Structures are given as C-alpha cells and as structure tokens.
Tab-separated table of all heavy atoms in Angstrom:
chain	number	residue	atom	x	y	z
D	240	MET	N	0.830	-1.205	0.000
D	240	MET	CA	0.000	0.000	0.000
D	240	MET	C	0.867	1.258	0.000
D	240	MET	O	0.579	2.232	-0.696
D	240	MET	CB	-0.933	-0.006	1.213
D	240	MET	CG	-2.056	-1.018	1.133
D	240	MET	SD	-3.078	-1.040	2.640
D	240	MET	CE	-3.722	0.621	2.603
D	241	PHE	N	1.948	1.231	0.771
D	241	PHE	CA	2.840	2.397	0.833
D	241	PHE	C	3.461	2.681	-0.534
D	241	PHE	O	3.462	3.819	-1.014
D	241	PHE	CB	3.933	2.147	1.873
D	241	PHE	CG	5.065	3.137	1.818
D	241	PHE	CD1	4.835	4.489	2.047
D	241	PHE	CD2	6.351	2.729	1.529
D	241	PHE	CE1	5.878	5.409	1.992
D	241	PHE	CE2	7.398	3.629	1.471
D	241	PHE	CZ	7.160	4.979	1.710
D	242	ILE	N	3.966	1.645	-1.211
D	242	ILE	CA	4.634	1.840	-2.503
D	242	ILE	C	3.637	2.254	-3.578
D	242	ILE	O	3.911	3.141	-4.395
D	242	ILE	CB	5.373	0.556	-2.936
D	242	ILE	CG1	6.464	0.196	-1.923
D	242	ILE	CG2	5.960	0.708	-4.341
D	242	ILE	CD1	7.570	1.214	-1.790
D	243	PHE	N	2.457	1.636	-3.594
D	243	PHE	CA	1.514	1.875	-4.679
D	243	PHE	C	0.622	3.098	-4.465
D	243	PHE	O	-0.021	3.568	-5.398
D	243	PHE	CB	0.642	0.639	-4.905
D	243	PHE	CG	1.381	-0.502	-5.551
D	243	PHE	CD1	1.397	-1.756	-4.967
D	243	PHE	CD2	2.079	-0.321	-6.732
D	243	PHE	CE1	2.086	-2.807	-5.557
D	243	PHE	CE2	2.763	-1.364	-7.325
D	243	PHE	CZ	2.771	-2.614	-6.743
D	244	MET	N	0.593	3.628	-3.244
D	244	MET	CA	-0.308	4.755	-2.980
D	244	MET	C	0.419	6.065	-2.666
D	244	MET	O	-0.152	7.142	-2.807
D	244	MET	CB	-1.253	4.403	-1.826
D	244	MET	CG	-2.187	3.233	-2.133
D	244	MET	SD	-3.279	2.790	-0.759
D	244	MET	CE	-4.323	4.244	-0.682
D	245	SER	N	1.677	5.981	-2.245
D	245	SER	CA	2.400	7.203	-1.883
D	245	SER	C	2.744	8.021	-3.126
D	245	SER	O	3.259	7.484	-4.112
D	245	SER	CB	3.692	6.850	-1.135
D	245	SER	OG	4.451	8.013	-0.890
D	246	PRO	N	2.511	9.346	-3.106
D	246	PRO	CA	2.809	10.202	-4.268
D	246	PRO	C	4.285	10.202	-4.655
D	246	PRO	O	4.618	10.412	-5.823
D	246	PRO	CB	2.366	11.594	-3.788
D	246	PRO	CG	1.380	11.343	-2.709
D	246	PRO	CD	1.830	10.096	-2.028
D	247	ARG	N	5.175	9.949	-3.690
D	247	ARG	CA	6.605	10.016	-3.997
D	247	ARG	C	7.055	8.929	-4.978
D	247	ARG	O	8.126	9.027	-5.560
D	247	ARG	CB	7.433	9.920	-2.716
D	247	ARG	CG	7.440	8.557	-2.046
D	247	ARG	CD	8.256	8.569	-0.762
D	247	ARG	NE	7.627	9.379	0.262
D	247	ARG	CZ	8.220	9.706	1.424
D	247	ARG	NH1	9.451	9.309	1.664
D	247	ARG	NH2	7.573	10.425	2.316
D	248	PHE	N	6.225	7.879	-5.153
D	248	PHE	CA	6.586	6.814	-6.090
D	248	PHE	C	5.824	6.908	-7.409
D	248	PHE	O	5.917	5.999	-8.237
D	248	PHE	CB	6.338	5.440	-5.453
D	248	PHE	CG	7.125	5.197	-4.197
D	248	PHE	CD1	6.487	5.119	-2.980
D	248	PHE	CD2	8.511	5.073	-4.239
D	248	PHE	CE1	7.206	4.909	-1.811
D	248	PHE	CE2	9.238	4.864	-3.078
D	248	PHE	CZ	8.590	4.780	-1.857
D	249	ALA	N	5.086	7.986	-7.604
D	249	ALA	CA	4.252	8.119	-8.809
D	249	ALA	C	5.086	8.050	-10.081
D	249	ALA	O	4.661	7.474	-11.088
D	249	ALA	CB	3.466	9.430	-8.757
D	250	ARG	N	6.300	8.615	-10.060
D	250	ARG	CA	7.145	8.629	-11.265
D	250	ARG	C	7.583	7.229	-11.685
D	250	ARG	O	7.938	7.015	-12.831
D	250	ARG	CB	8.384	9.487	-11.022
D	250	ARG	CG	9.365	8.903	-10.008
D	250	ARG	CD	10.617	9.753	-9.847
D	250	ARG	NE	10.306	11.056	-9.266
D	250	ARG	CZ	11.237	11.947	-8.923
D	250	ARG	NH1	12.515	11.668	-9.108
D	250	ARG	NH2	10.888	13.095	-8.393
D	251	TYR	N	7.564	6.285	-10.740
D	251	TYR	CA	7.974	4.914	-11.064
D	251	TYR	C	6.797	4.035	-11.470
D	251	TYR	O	6.955	3.097	-12.245
D	251	TYR	CB	8.696	4.277	-9.867
D	251	TYR	CG	9.802	5.120	-9.302
D	251	TYR	CD1	9.764	5.552	-7.979
D	251	TYR	CD2	10.889	5.505	-10.087
D	251	TYR	CE1	10.773	6.335	-7.440
D	251	TYR	CE2	11.908	6.293	-9.562
D	251	TYR	CZ	11.834	6.703	-8.245
D	251	TYR	OH	12.837	7.484	-7.736
D	252	ARG	N	5.615	4.328	-10.938
D	252	ARG	CA	4.466	3.450	-11.164
D	252	ARG	C	4.029	3.413	-12.628
D	252	ARG	O	3.452	2.429	-13.077
D	252	ARG	CB	3.291	3.879	-10.271
D	252	ARG	CG	3.527	3.594	-8.793
D	252	ARG	CD	2.229	3.631	-8.004
D	252	ARG	NE	1.698	4.976	-7.879
D	252	ARG	CZ	1.936	5.787	-6.843
D	252	ARG	NH1	2.721	5.384	-5.857
D	252	ARG	NH2	1.387	6.988	-6.794
D	253	SER	N	4.319	4.464	-13.396
D	253	SER	CA	3.915	4.490	-14.804
D	253	SER	C	4.650	3.434	-15.631
D	253	SER	O	4.219	3.072	-16.719
D	253	SER	CB	4.160	5.877	-15.400
D	253	SER	OG	5.533	6.209	-15.339
D	254	TYR	N	5.761	2.920	-15.101
D	254	TYR	CA	6.540	1.904	-15.830
D	254	TYR	C	6.153	0.483	-15.424
D	254	TYR	O	6.690	-0.483	-15.962
D	254	TYR	CB	8.034	2.088	-15.566
D	254	TYR	CG	8.590	3.410	-16.047
D	254	TYR	CD1	8.773	4.474	-15.170
D	254	TYR	CD2	8.944	3.587	-17.389
D	254	TYR	CE1	9.285	5.689	-15.609
D	254	TYR	CE2	9.457	4.805	-17.836
D	254	TYR	CZ	9.625	5.843	-16.931
D	254	TYR	OH	10.138	7.035	-17.364
D	255	LEU	N	5.244	0.362	-14.452
D	255	LEU	CA	4.927	-0.953	-13.901
D	255	LEU	C	3.816	-1.613	-14.714
D	255	LEU	O	2.636	-1.524	-14.372
D	255	LEU	CB	4.516	-0.830	-12.430
D	255	LEU	CG	5.556	-0.204	-11.490
D	255	LEU	CD1	5.031	-0.168	-10.069
D	255	LEU	CD2	6.869	-0.963	-11.564
D	256	HIS	N	4.172	-2.261	-15.811
D	256	HIS	CA	3.203	-3.008	-16.610
D	256	HIS	C	3.871	-4.302	-17.077
D	256	HIS	O	5.098	-4.449	-17.045
D	256	HIS	CB	2.704	-2.186	-17.799
D	256	HIS	CG	3.771	-1.415	-18.512
D	256	HIS	ND1	4.684	-2.010	-19.353
D	256	HIS	CD2	4.073	-0.090	-18.489
D	256	HIS	CE1	5.494	-1.092	-19.840
D	256	HIS	NE2	5.165	0.081	-19.331
D	257	LEU	N	3.038	-5.244	-17.508
D	257	LEU	CA	3.521	-6.593	-17.809
D	257	LEU	C	4.622	-6.599	-18.864
D	257	LEU	O	5.525	-7.437	-18.828
D	257	LEU	CB	2.352	-7.470	-18.274
D	257	LEU	CG	1.288	-7.793	-17.213
D	257	LEU	CD1	0.163	-8.607	-17.829
D	257	LEU	CD2	1.914	-8.559	-16.057
D	258	GLN	N	4.556	-5.659	-19.816
D	258	GLN	CA	5.557	-5.631	-20.884
D	258	GLN	C	6.966	-5.346	-20.345
D	258	GLN	O	7.962	-5.617	-21.018
D	258	GLN	CB	5.185	-4.578	-21.931
D	258	GLN	CG	3.929	-4.912	-22.730
D	258	GLN	CD	2.652	-4.427	-22.030
D	258	GLN	OE1	2.666	-4.192	-20.832
D	258	GLN	NE2	1.580	-4.298	-22.798
D	259	SER	N	7.064	-4.794	-19.126
D	259	SER	CA	8.372	-4.458	-18.552
D	259	SER	C	8.996	-5.617	-17.779
D	259	SER	O	10.123	-5.505	-17.300
D	259	SER	CB	8.245	-3.242	-17.630
D	259	SER	OG	7.827	-2.105	-18.352
D	260	ILE	N	8.239	-6.721	-17.646
D	260	ILE	CA	8.816	-7.900	-16.987
D	260	ILE	C	9.864	-8.502	-17.916
D	260	ILE	O	9.577	-8.807	-19.072
D	260	ILE	CB	7.738	-8.936	-16.644
D	260	ILE	CG1	6.751	-8.359	-15.630
D	260	ILE	CG2	8.368	-10.218	-16.097
D	260	ILE	CD1	5.588	-9.263	-15.302
D	261	SER	N	11.067	-8.648	-17.403
D	261	SER	CA	12.195	-9.076	-18.241
D	261	SER	C	12.991	-10.173	-17.547
D	261	SER	O	13.462	-9.992	-16.415
D	261	SER	CB	13.106	-7.872	-18.525
D	261	SER	OG	14.346	-8.286	-19.037
D	262	TRP	N	13.136	-11.299	-18.225
D	262	TRP	CA	13.933	-12.389	-17.670
D	262	TRP	C	15.395	-11.981	-17.547
D	262	TRP	O	16.093	-12.440	-16.636
D	262	TRP	CB	13.799	-13.647	-18.525
D	262	TRP	CG	12.479	-14.328	-18.362
D	262	TRP	CD1	11.470	-14.396	-19.270
D	262	TRP	CD2	12.007	-15.021	-17.193
D	262	TRP	NE1	10.385	-15.075	-18.748
D	262	TRP	CE2	10.692	-15.477	-17.485
D	262	TRP	CE3	12.557	-15.289	-15.941
D	262	TRP	CZ2	9.935	-16.191	-16.558
D	262	TRP	CZ3	11.798	-16.000	-15.019
D	262	TRP	CH2	10.504	-16.447	-15.324
D	263	SER	N	15.860	-11.108	-18.439
D	263	SER	CA	17.262	-10.670	-18.355
D	263	SER	C	17.496	-9.830	-17.101
D	263	SER	O	18.521	-9.964	-16.426
D	263	SER	CB	17.655	-9.874	-19.607
D	263	SER	OG	16.887	-8.690	-19.728
D	264	HIS	N	16.519	-8.964	-16.756
D	264	HIS	CA	16.642	-8.182	-15.530
D	264	HIS	C	16.604	-9.096	-14.293
D	264	HIS	O	17.398	-8.935	-13.366
D	264	HIS	CB	15.506	-7.156	-15.436
D	264	HIS	CG	15.719	-5.939	-16.273
D	264	HIS	ND1	15.225	-5.812	-17.548
D	264	HIS	CD2	16.401	-4.798	-16.023
D	264	HIS	CE1	15.581	-4.635	-18.039
D	264	HIS	NE2	16.285	-4.005	-17.138
D	265	MET	N	15.670	-10.062	-14.313
D	265	MET	CA	15.583	-10.970	-13.175
D	265	MET	C	16.818	-11.855	-13.063
D	265	MET	O	17.281	-12.164	-11.961
D	265	MET	CB	14.304	-11.816	-13.282
D	265	MET	CG	13.037	-11.042	-12.957
D	265	MET	SD	11.578	-12.086	-12.810
D	265	MET	CE	11.148	-12.294	-14.548
D	266	THR	N	17.369	-12.231	-14.203
D	266	THR	CA	18.589	-13.045	-14.187
D	266	THR	C	19.746	-12.280	-13.577
D	266	THR	O	20.529	-12.821	-12.791
D	266	THR	CB	18.948	-13.501	-15.613
D	266	THR	OG1	17.875	-14.285	-16.137
D	266	THR	CG2	20.224	-14.324	-15.613
D	267	ARG	N	19.858	-10.987	-13.942
D	267	ARG	CA	20.936	-10.182	-13.375
D	267	ARG	C	20.785	-10.061	-11.861
D	267	ARG	O	21.758	-10.178	-11.108
D	267	ARG	CB	20.961	-8.786	-13.997
D	267	ARG	CG	22.169	-7.980	-13.506
D	267	ARG	CD	22.159	-6.553	-13.941
D	267	ARG	NE	23.310	-5.862	-13.387
D	267	ARG	CZ	23.431	-4.562	-13.316
D	267	ARG	NH1	22.477	-3.785	-13.782
D	267	ARG	NH2	24.507	-4.010	-12.791
D	268	MET	N	19.548	-9.827	-11.407
D	268	MET	CA	19.311	-9.738	-9.968
D	268	MET	C	19.636	-11.058	-9.277
D	268	MET	O	20.229	-11.071	-8.195
D	268	MET	CB	17.858	-9.338	-9.699
D	268	MET	CG	17.637	-7.839	-9.743
D	268	MET	SD	15.972	-7.369	-9.238
D	268	MET	CE	15.143	-7.560	-10.796
D	269	PHE	N	19.258	-12.149	-9.924
D	269	PHE	CA	19.538	-13.457	-9.334
D	269	PHE	C	21.034	-13.711	-9.248
D	269	PHE	O	21.527	-14.275	-8.266
D	269	PHE	CB	18.863	-14.558	-10.152
D	269	PHE	CG	18.947	-15.921	-9.509
D	269	PHE	CD1	18.063	-16.272	-8.497
D	269	PHE	CD2	19.913	-16.836	-9.895
D	269	PHE	CE1	18.137	-17.530	-7.891
D	269	PHE	CE2	19.995	-18.082	-9.302
D	269	PHE	CZ	19.105	-18.426	-8.293
D	270	LYS	N	21.772	-13.271	-10.261
D	270	LYS	CA	23.227	-13.468	-10.259
D	270	LYS	C	23.904	-12.677	-9.145
D	270	LYS	O	24.959	-13.077	-8.642
D	270	LYS	CB	23.807	-13.079	-11.620
D	270	LYS	CG	23.525	-14.093	-12.722
D	270	LYS	CD	24.163	-13.671	-14.039
D	270	LYS	CE	23.924	-14.718	-15.123
D	270	LYS	NZ	24.519	-14.307	-16.420
D	271	ILE	N	23.309	-11.547	-8.767
D	271	ILE	CA	23.835	-10.781	-7.633
D	271	ILE	C	23.331	-11.370	-6.321
D	271	ILE	O	24.087	-11.544	-5.359
D	271	ILE	CB	23.428	-9.298	-7.739
D	271	ILE	CG1	24.077	-8.648	-8.963
D	271	ILE	CG2	23.825	-8.534	-6.473
D	271	ILE	CD1	23.596	-7.237	-9.241
D	272	GLY	N	22.040	-11.710	-6.286
D	272	GLY	CA	21.428	-12.176	-5.049
D	272	GLY	C	21.836	-13.578	-4.645
D	272	GLY	O	21.962	-13.866	-3.446
D	273	PHE	N	22.061	-14.464	-5.623
D	273	PHE	CA	22.373	-15.859	-5.293
D	273	PHE	C	23.681	-16.000	-4.502
D	273	PHE	O	23.700	-16.706	-3.482
D	273	PHE	CB	22.410	-16.702	-6.565
D	273	PHE	CG	22.631	-18.168	-6.307
D	273	PHE	CD1	21.690	-18.915	-5.623
D	273	PHE	CD2	23.795	-18.795	-6.738
D	273	PHE	CE1	21.891	-20.271	-5.373
D	273	PHE	CE2	24.009	-20.141	-6.498
D	273	PHE	CZ	23.061	-20.879	-5.810
D	274	PRO	N	24.777	-15.332	-4.908
D	274	PRO	CA	25.979	-15.408	-4.066
D	274	PRO	C	25.772	-14.819	-2.670
D	274	PRO	O	26.350	-15.306	-1.699
D	274	PRO	CB	27.027	-14.598	-4.853
D	274	PRO	CG	26.554	-14.636	-6.260
D	274	PRO	CD	25.056	-14.620	-6.165
D	275	ILE	N	24.926	-13.771	-2.568
D	275	ILE	CA	24.609	-13.229	-1.247
D	275	ILE	C	23.878	-14.285	-0.430
D	275	ILE	O	24.164	-14.493	0.760
D	275	ILE	CB	23.754	-11.949	-1.369
D	275	ILE	CG1	24.538	-10.848	-2.089
D	275	ILE	CG2	23.319	-11.464	0.013
D	275	ILE	CD1	23.720	-9.592	-2.373
D	276	SER	N	22.930	-14.985	-1.069
D	276	SER	CA	22.213	-16.065	-0.386
D	276	SER	C	23.159	-17.159	0.069
D	276	SER	O	23.053	-17.655	1.198
D	276	SER	CB	21.147	-16.663	-1.312
D	276	SER	OG	20.128	-15.732	-1.579
D	277	LEU	N	24.078	-17.539	-0.809
D	277	LEU	CA	25.045	-18.572	-0.431
D	277	LEU	C	25.876	-18.139	0.761
D	277	LEU	O	26.109	-18.916	1.691
D	277	LEU	CB	25.966	-18.893	-1.619
D	277	LEU	CG	25.354	-19.669	-2.782
D	277	LEU	CD1	26.407	-19.923	-3.847
D	277	LEU	CD2	24.758	-20.996	-2.313
D	278	GLN	N	26.339	-16.886	0.714
D	278	GLN	CA	27.142	-16.376	1.833
D	278	GLN	C	26.351	-16.456	3.127
D	278	GLN	O	26.868	-16.890	4.172
D	278	GLN	CB	27.574	-14.934	1.540
D	278	GLN	CG	28.334	-14.270	2.679
D	278	GLN	CD	27.413	-13.609	3.683
D	278	GLN	OE1	26.474	-12.903	3.307
D	278	GLN	NE2	27.658	-13.837	4.961
D	279	MET	N	25.089	-16.032	3.083
D	279	MET	CA	24.259	-16.047	4.285
D	279	MET	C	23.944	-17.469	4.735
D	279	MET	O	23.896	-17.766	5.933
D	279	MET	CB	22.975	-15.264	4.021
D	279	MET	CG	23.213	-13.777	3.769
D	279	MET	SD	21.706	-12.863	3.343
D	279	MET	CE	20.898	-12.799	4.944
D	280	ILE	N	23.756	-18.371	3.760
D	280	ILE	CA	23.498	-19.769	4.103
D	280	ILE	C	24.727	-20.398	4.736
D	280	ILE	O	24.632	-21.152	5.717
D	280	ILE	CB	23.057	-20.564	2.856
D	280	ILE	CG1	21.614	-20.195	2.496
D	280	ILE	CG2	23.156	-22.071	3.102
D	280	ILE	CD1	21.145	-20.806	1.198
D	281	PHE	N	25.904	-20.104	4.188
D	281	PHE	CA	27.128	-20.654	4.758
D	281	PHE	C	27.288	-20.212	6.213
D	281	PHE	O	27.695	-21.005	7.066
D	281	PHE	CB	28.350	-20.207	3.947
D	281	PHE	CG	28.414	-20.793	2.563
D	281	PHE	CD1	28.968	-20.066	1.520
D	281	PHE	CD2	27.924	-22.061	2.302
D	281	PHE	CE1	29.044	-20.605	0.234
D	281	PHE	CE2	27.980	-22.605	1.021
D	281	PHE	CZ	28.544	-21.870	-0.011
D	282	GLU	N	26.944	-18.952	6.481
D	282	GLU	CA	27.065	-18.443	7.854
D	282	GLU	C	25.939	-18.960	8.738
D	282	GLU	O	26.178	-19.601	9.768
D	282	GLU	CB	27.071	-16.919	7.846
D	282	GLU	CG	27.185	-16.330	9.245
D	282	GLU	CD	27.165	-14.814	9.251
D	282	GLU	OE1	27.135	-14.201	8.165
D	282	GLU	OE2	27.171	-14.247	10.362
D	283	MET	N	24.697	-18.669	8.352
D	283	MET	CA	23.567	-19.075	9.186
D	283	MET	C	23.418	-20.596	9.215
D	283	MET	O	22.996	-21.174	10.220
D	283	MET	CB	22.278	-18.434	8.668
D	283	MET	CG	22.261	-16.921	8.763
D	283	MET	SD	22.404	-16.349	10.469
D	283	MET	CE	22.178	-14.593	10.232
D	284	GLY	N	23.755	-21.241	8.076
D	284	GLY	CA	23.692	-22.692	8.036
D	284	GLY	C	24.649	-23.325	9.025
D	284	GLY	O	24.362	-24.381	9.606
D	285	ALA	N	25.787	-22.682	9.247
D	285	ALA	CA	26.735	-23.197	10.240
D	285	ALA	C	26.122	-23.143	11.629
D	285	ALA	O	26.246	-24.088	12.423
D	285	ALA	CB	28.024	-22.376	10.195
D	286	PHE	N	25.419	-22.045	11.934
D	286	PHE	CA	24.750	-21.963	13.233
D	286	PHE	C	23.604	-22.963	13.320
D	286	PHE	O	23.360	-23.556	14.373
D	286	PHE	CB	24.240	-20.536	13.453
D	286	PHE	CG	25.302	-19.575	13.906
D	286	PHE	CD1	26.094	-18.903	12.988
D	286	PHE	CD2	25.524	-19.351	15.254
D	286	PHE	CE1	27.079	-18.029	13.394
D	286	PHE	CE2	26.514	-18.478	15.684
D	286	PHE	CZ	27.298	-17.809	14.750
C-alpha cells in the first residue's frame, strides 16, 4: 500500500506493466542475489 499509494513513487508506477517484466533483468538480480544467499546460508547454516 505504501509503494503503490504514496505520491513520492508516482514517477515509477507508470513503468509498472507486464511488458516491462524481463527475464534478463531478473537473471541479473539473481546473479547478484544468489551469491549473497550462499554467503548467508554458509554463515547461518553453520549456526
């Protein structure tokens, strides 16, 4: 509700449509996030 209703995010909401969903963008995020996940798993998994 905060993201979709606050006026400060209005400039971004106009780009939020199905045509902007991109596997290449998600792949890039996954490539950054997956090593972070591994690092956290190695640490928390040890505990």
Side-chain angles (χ1 to χ4, degrees):
M240 288 177 63
F241 168 62
I242 298 297
F243 288 126
M244 297 179 67
S245 175
R247 71 182 68 189
F248 300 111
R250 68 177 66 174
Y251 309 120
R252 290 197 289 266
S253 61
Y254 297 99
L255 301 181
H256 42 75
L257 293 177
Q258 292 87 340
S259 297
I260 296 176
S261 166
W262 286 109
S263 63
H264 281 94
M265 286 190 279
T266 300
R267 185 187 178 197
M268 275 187 275
F269 188 81
K270 286 182 178 179
I271 295 173
F273 184 65
I275 297 174
S276 293
L277 288 181
Q278 176 273 314
M279 295 176 73
I280 286 174
F281 292 147
E282 180 181 356
M283 296 299 186
F286 280 87

